[in-house]
């Protein structure tokens, strides 16, 4: 009885996806589909496919029925049907069935290939707000022309402007350097010198911002700005070095920003999600999710979700899909999270450890309430 | 049948809690209660409570009935009943129902706010022995007045005196420095110089001993003393930096002390409990528990306990609660451990992997026998 | 129905054990038996035994019936029966019942105490091929007499000769140094100097090759050779330092060898198997297994196997036992892996997450197909 009620509540819950990107525009061929369903930058080795994976199996299991196909449909048949329906209809169906009430859309990665926040919202009757990626703003500032002496002021001004309607900021220092960065803010002279070096390197074609001094300067400018600050942590593509993504490497930084009243949102965190839970436990300003890891671990996502529900306080956990590209990712983020939460919390109720009412309440907090509180979102009507 | 027998044996088992502190004296108000049930040093952020956590839910589930309340009672009603009964009765009930036969009480942390080992024993008809915290002894030596040249001798003498009736020593180098300490003992000149620096800093109000040279000197003095040496490892409060709490960072030290016949007890270890299990597997003098992590992971404690029962030999695992303050912590340490062990070992018996007799034997070893052997405790009558 | 079919397929599957050593020759007494069933180099402390462990319990549960004994037979009775049957009969029974179709035998560790690849194959009607340990070849080159200037050429020549009929190479740099090695190949001058230092040390009795420059030179010579390159990673004996066995410490090396078309096989990986799965996910040339950890975690092996089936693509996972010595290890590697895969994949089919056909296909890939493809083994008749 409690199990059925929990299932119904979780099923009906309008989620806040607090870290997501736009769904892809345009049709996907097999290569594009395979490429969209892996964090690898390369084709699978001969004799294998990226779709022989938990994510690939989850697409065939859970997305196929949304396209009127039987569960476990083979990839080629799935893609044929996808093409037959057309990408706008497929995206509409998958996003709508995800049941997300509000998307917080991070717009800093290949924004021209994907739907805008407004389009995401319109596609499925949700609302949307923006999360601004610090490094992209800096790269835009450089592309628009600035000198070393003017970089810091110009960056701060453009960030203020871009963030005016945003609800959060995002750092990818985990990719560009690692979380083992110097916890103190760099001085103005260091920033100017680092900007000079980077602006010169840009003239030789290296546009990507990876200078550790500048990355830290962006972070601290973000902290000054005051919006919740999201960090990529852990599982992601081959650009990162995993052992440098342990979020406890950021402990010194977390201590230094504690009095700034800026919520720090640790994203994904796999396989360091227990460490992230510890940080969320001891530091009042730290929050976490297992976003991308839920999608990519498919049938195992309930184990991963359960591990986040150990020492992390329930008021500090959020839901995200981190979907980018194929709308299957946005869909599965929500579907797998719902299934995981229903199974995990339901089991604790069944064992007599939790009350059914608490299970319902925690599912609502993690799926929506915590994000609404931290980002200051309006309650849905 | 085997499952029922296992449950009955584990239920009746008089545990040895080999690392615990005293229960709090005095009544708890809501702020004190919330503060006592988290490792965070700060209030929960607005809109959240520390009690929305596995530990908070476990208190409401398992402690409420001990106070004649229904399971899952809300915090305010729980506290009202707690006050009605009075803290001495509540503590008596919770400690007695924990079924601990022997407490090894670490007395080095805020001892004036909690019950003494003798009081712990009297409260629930158990026995008690003391575990002496090295850093507290050193801080007491400094407070009593000593100069740099006399520090080492004085510390050794006071430690000998304090440890005369103790059964173990404890180090919090994990908090004060990290487990990545230099594995070699410091020389006498280094100790004298470090003592001088610290004693001077004390005059400016910094009483806490955090000098790495002195911390190592305390360790090696403890090793010379010869009692089992407990180390805090992993999950704990915000004083520590988690990535520096991986116990394999101590591997060099473990190698150097191997011939001293001093058992090294790794406490808590979460989320590095598998690494602790590896160390207990390969080194004859290394033992481990998941003490505090059992209490704090509540409904998930069976998963955590299961993970310790992988490569750690069963003769090297112990039980502890690490309770300090609210007697709920002492109670839950025991209740959750019993439930976890019953569920985990019972499942292996059910699957046909273990015999019922082995399950009973391992539960007895981990819950009591291993601690009795390592600490040289008398068998209960 | 799907569960039964999966069980039958997995039961009948002729495995490729892609990293194994020979079974012991000769009878085992109790000390030898205990010593063979632990990664510890020392006797268990007084009052305990290495056999009170998941591995010890698994031997009594799963190997006893192969010797016509009831499950859970006590160690002494087991050993008495083992002696009665004789080691050749015991080894024949245990290896045959393991159902391995092909052994890839690493011959570099105490080869004189164990069966040769040919003997392994003959004992149980399997095929066998060799995996050559780089460090052993280098130590043999030194033992045969070489000077510093000639070391590199001589090593390359002997490696070519030894590897002529081999299917893979193996590095134990994880033991001898750690995986935090300099990712670049050393220059010829550095190699000559390092060889000189090592050859001089050898004259004082230190035969073991642990020089970081030479270890890296061996690796890069192995990469040039072109066969799949196996790395010990994680759980093993006390020679290694666990925190230096995180395979993501090798990320720089993995990036540098990516264009060499050399498959890199990460072995065991516990407790870093999720990190290994991440590396197998993002890098096309990286593969992994949890070999030794399956054997040593016994009843918990299904949890460990499940954790590898998270982000690692199913075309990148392999089976190995890493058995060395008592044939119980070879047997249990296979038995526990079959039980784990049947339970884990079967549960996903039961939950409706996977199709039964996919479960069967993935079991065949991991148990045999992936190894046949990567090592270029002939299909069985």
């Amino acid at each position: 009885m409690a199990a059925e009620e929990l299932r119904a509540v979780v099923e009906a819950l309008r989620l806040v996806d607090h870290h997501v990107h736009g769904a892809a525009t345009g049709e996907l061929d097999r290569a594009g589909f395979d490429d969209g369903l892996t964090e690898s930058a390369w084709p699978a080795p001969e004799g294998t496919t990226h779709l022989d994976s938990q994510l690939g199996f989850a697409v065939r299991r859970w997305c196929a029925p949304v396209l009127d196909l039987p569960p476990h449909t083979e990839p080629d048949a799935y893609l044929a049907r996808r093409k037959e329906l057309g990408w706008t209809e497929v995206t509409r169906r998958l996003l709508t069935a995800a049941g997300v009430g509000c998307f917080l859309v991070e717009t800093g990665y290949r924004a021209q290939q994907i739907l805008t926040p407004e389009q995401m919202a319109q596609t499925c009757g949700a609302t949307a707000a923006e999360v601004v990626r610090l490094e992209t703003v800096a790269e835009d500032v450089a592309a628009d022309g600035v000198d070393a002496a003017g970089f810091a002021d110009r960056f701060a001004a453009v960030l203020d402007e871009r963030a005016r309607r945003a609800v959060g900021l995002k750092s990818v220092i985990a990719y560009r350097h690692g979380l083992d960065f110097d916890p103190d803010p760099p001085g103005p002279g260091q920033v100017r010198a680092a900007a000079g070096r980077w602006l010169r390197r840009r003239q030789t074609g290296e546009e990507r911002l990876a200078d550790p001094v500048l990355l830290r300067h962006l972070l601290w400018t973000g902290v000054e700005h005051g919006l919740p600050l999201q960090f990529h942590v852990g599982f992601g593509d081959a650009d990162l070095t995993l052992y440098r993504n342990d979020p406890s490497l950021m402990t010194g930084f977390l201590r230094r920003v504690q009095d700034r009243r800026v919520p720090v949102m640790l994203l994904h965190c796999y396989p360091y999600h227990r460490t992230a839970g510890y940080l969320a436990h001891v530091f009042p300003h730290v929050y976490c999710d297992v976003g991308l890891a839920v999608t990519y671990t498919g049938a195992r996502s309930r184990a991963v979700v359960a591990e986040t529900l150990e020492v992390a306080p329930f008021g500090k956990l959020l839901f995200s899909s981190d979907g980018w590209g194929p709308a299957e990712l946005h869909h599965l983020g929500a579907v797998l999270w719902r299934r995981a939460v229903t199974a995990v919390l339901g089991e604790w109720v069944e064992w007599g450890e939790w009350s059914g009412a608490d299970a319902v309440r925690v599912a609502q907090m993690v799926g929506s309430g915590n994000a609404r509180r931290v980002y200051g979102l309006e309650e849905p009507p």
Side-chain angles (χ1 to χ4, degrees), chain A:
Chain A
M1 207 57 186
E4 273 319 296
E5 191 198 330
L6 176 64
R7 183 182 312 278
V9 169
V10 174
E11 201 64 43
L13 186 58
R14 295 286 282 171
L15 300 170
V16 177
D17 190 343
H18 89 112
H19 180 82
V20 62
H21 309 264
T25 56
E27 301 298 341
L28 285 170
D29 59 10
R30 177 67 196 257
F33 190 64
D34 285 28
D35 184 52
L37 299 179
T38 178
E39 287 291 315
S40 179
W42 300 278
E46 204 181 315
T48 76
T49 153
H50 290 315
L51 301 186
D52 277 341
S53 61
Q54 290 285 10
L55 174 55
F57 284 19
V59 167
R60 292 167 43 213
R61 170 62 186 93
W62 299 110
C63 300
V66 181
L67 311 195
D68 315 315
L69 297 170
H72 315 301
T73 297
E74 291 299 328
D76 287 338
Y78 181 89
L79 271 172
R81 174 62 178 164
R82 204 183 196 284
K83 194 170 179 188
E84 184 179 64
L85 286 168
W87 74 268
T88 52
E89 171 63 9
V90 166
T91 302
R92 191 192 63 74
R93 289 190 184 190
L94 289 169
L95 292 188
T96 303
V100 172
C102 178
F103 294 105
L104 306 190
V105 186
E106 202 261 75
T107 51
Y109 184 64
R110 301 192 194 173
Q112 64 289 356
Q113 301 173 26
I114 52 174
L115 297 180
T116 65
E118 294 70 32
Q119 291 169 324
M120 287 290 286
Q122 286 160 7
T123 300
C124 61
T127 61
E130 190 177 356
V131 172
V132 172
R133 187 188 285 209
L134 295 168
E135 292 81 2
T136 305
V137 173
E139 286 162 356
D140 290 349
V141 164
D144 286 347
V146 71
D147 61 14
F151 175 78
D153 282 351
R154 184 78 192 124
F155 173 71
V158 175
L159 181 63
D160 276 350
E161 187 192 317
R162 294 266 183 101
R164 198 164 300 152
R165 292 178 318 278
V167 294
L169 304 177
K170 161 86 181 288
S171 164
V172 291
I173 196 170
Y175 275 109
R176 302 291 177 90
H177 177 273
L179 299 175
D180 50 351
F181 56 87
D182 182 337
D184 288 310
Q190 290 176 292
V191 172
R192 197 164 47 242
R197 286 193 301 270
W198 177 50
L199 294 170
R200 279 193 297 280
R201 275 201 302 272
R202 286 190 85 259
Q203 293 168 355
T204 66
E206 185 184 328
E207 298 187 9
R208 183 185 160 93
L209 172 55
D211 180 277
V213 170
L214 291 184
L215 290 168
R216 284 159 52 216
H217 173 69
L218 269 49
L219 273 186
W220 282 98
T221 308
V223 168
E224 292 299 324
H225 188 86
L227 287 176
L229 185 51
Q230 301 180 342
F231 282 83
H232 179 96
V233 179
F235 183 71
D237 70 40
D239 266 10
L240 62 80
T241 299
L242 200 57
Y243 75 91
R244 298 179 65 185
N245 267 250
D246 177 336
S248 73
L249 292 166
M250 287 170 61
T251 307
F253 175 80
L254 294 174
R255 289 185 180 126
R256 276 165 187 72
V257 302
Q258 186 171 347
D259 61 357
R260 304 299 182 98
R261 305 177 66 84
V262 171
V264 174
M265 321 305 284
L266 307 176
L267 307 175
H268 324 313
C269 302
Y270 181 95
Y272 302 109
H273 42 294
R274 283 171 155 170
T275 296
Y278 160 78
L279 296 170
H281 181 108
V282 294
F283 292 115
H285 58 312
V286 176
Y287 297 78
C288 63
D289 74 32
V290 277
L292 192 60
V294 169
T295 314
Y296 271 93
T297 57
R300 278 288 295 173
S301 54
R302 64 178 73 184
V304 173
V305 166
E307 287 169 352
T308 64
L309 291 159
E310 289 174 358
V311 299
F314 307 138
K316 308 298 259 342
L317 286 166
L318 287 86
F319 161 74
S320 80
S321 71
D322 196 31
W324 186 99
E328 281 80 359
L329 295 171
H330 307 75
H331 183 75
L332 286 173
V335 167
L336 292 170
W337 181 87
R338 288 184 211 272
R339 286 182 60 79
V341 163
T342 303
V344 169
L345 305 190
E347 197 168 48
W348 296 337
V349 173
E350 189 194 316
W351 293 348
E353 305 271 350
W354 281 32
S355 73
D358 280 329
V360 163
R361 191 166 61 87
V362 168
Q364 288 168 330
M365 289 165 65
V366 180
S368 151
N370 293 335
R372 291 194 178 278
R373 187 182 67 250
V374 176
Y375 291 98
L377 308 176
E378 285 171 29
E379 283 301 310

